[in-house]
């Protein structure tokens, strides 16, 4: 789906149908169980703002009444600032990673500082889960969660600086502020094919110039001709 500049993101409630029997002893985590740091520096439940709800209604019409599985999405979003799009995509992918075994999630940002900020949101999601339900984890490094019992991984890296595992399967791919990437065209050749048909790709950015990869793909997507559509 192509999404315009004032649209934020979607939310999802994951069912347990993909969980093996030994993991069905608990209900799958839901978006409302996650905690975020709001603009007033307070820790609060992650309740969607009106723009997020609007977008969610488009992607998941029955989101408020039925369990919804995040599968096979290809989204390119030209966004406004301060609507929480990146946070919400991180939340969606974090939930999918801890609710669905054998899931690899990768988030790619444009510079190290932004990468660290994104990962700190994921750290907060994890650390604020109920302790008795929190899945076992270990750090491979300061920007990665490995969930050994689930065989799932959540990694946040910097475009051009990290090896995202050429040839590996990525189930969820979040590409943030792509116009600011160096050599975005070359990086996409390796990243996009790593996501299978049932995987999810979200590409998002604020408006950042003309003629770059994001601008070209967004323009193409408007007429159904993007590599994402």
């Amino acid at each position: 789906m192509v999404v315009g500049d004032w649209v934020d993101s979607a939310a999802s409630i994951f069912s347990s149908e993909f969980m093996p029997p030994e993991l069905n002893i608990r209900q799958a985590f839901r978006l409302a169980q996650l905690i975020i740091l709001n603009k007033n520096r307070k820790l609060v439940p992650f309740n969607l703002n009106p723009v997020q709800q609007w977008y969610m209604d488009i992607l998941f019409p029955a989101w408020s009444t039925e369990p919804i599985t995040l599968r096979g999405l290809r989204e390119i979003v030209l966004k406004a600032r301060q609507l929480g799009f990146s946070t919400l995509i991180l939340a969606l992918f974090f939930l999918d990673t801890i609710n669905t075994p054998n899931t690899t999630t990768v988030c790619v940002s444009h510079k190290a500082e932004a990468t660290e900020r994104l990962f700190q949101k994921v750290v907060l999601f994890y650390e604020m889960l109920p302790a008795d339900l929190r899945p076992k984890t270990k750090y491979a490094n300061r920007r990665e969660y490995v969930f050994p019992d689930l065989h799932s991984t959540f990694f946040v890296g910097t475009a051009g600086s990290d090896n995202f595992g050429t040839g590996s399967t990525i189930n969820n791919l979040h590409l943030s502020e792509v116009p600011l990437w160096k050599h975005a065209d070359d990086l996409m050749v390796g990243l996009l094919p790593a996501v299978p048909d049932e995987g999810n790709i979200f590409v998002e950015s604020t408006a950042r110039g003309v003629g770059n990869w994001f601008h070209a793909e967004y323009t193409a997507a408007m007429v159904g001709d993007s590599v994402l559509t």
Side-chain angles (χ1 to χ4, degrees), residues 15-125:
S15 72
S16 60
E17 62 180 302
F18 295 97
M19 306 281 282
E22 64 271 19
L23 294 177
N24 280 331
I25 58 174
R26 63 168 172 82
Q27 183 179 1
F29 287 107
R30 300 174 60 164
L31 191 67
Q33 291 177 270
L34 299 182
I35 300 297
I36 62 170
L37 183 67
N38 69 13
K39 295 177 182 179
N40 295 320
R41 298 179 290 179
K42 296 185 181 298
L43 296 175
V44 297
F46 192 13
N47 297 317
L48 301 183
N49 65 42
V51 176
Q52 292 168 335
Q53 292 181 34
W54 179 87
Y55 184 39
M56 182 174 61
D57 286 341
I58 295 174
L59 289 183
F60 310 109
W63 66 270
S64 62
T65 58
E66 298 178 9
I68 298 172
T69 301
L70 191 70
R71 294 292 181 270
L73 293 179
R74 298 295 186 271
E75 295 288 301
I76 184 165
V77 181
L78 178 61
K79 64 179 186 177
R81 294 179 60 84
Q82 300 299 313
L83 289 177
F85 180 81
S86 295
T87 300
L88 194 39
I89 293 302
L90 289 171
L92 286 167
F93 284 177
F94 174 74
L95 288 176
D96 196 40
T97 305
I98 64 173
N99 284 336
T100 311
N102 308 312
T103 296
T104 297
T105 295
V106 172
C107 175
V108 187
S109 187
H110 61 293
K111 62 181 181 179
E113 294 87 348
T115 298
E116 181 62 24
R117 286 195 298 271
L118 292 176
F119 190 63
Q120 287 306 309
K121 295 178 186 293
V122 179
V123 171
L124 186 62
F125 291 156

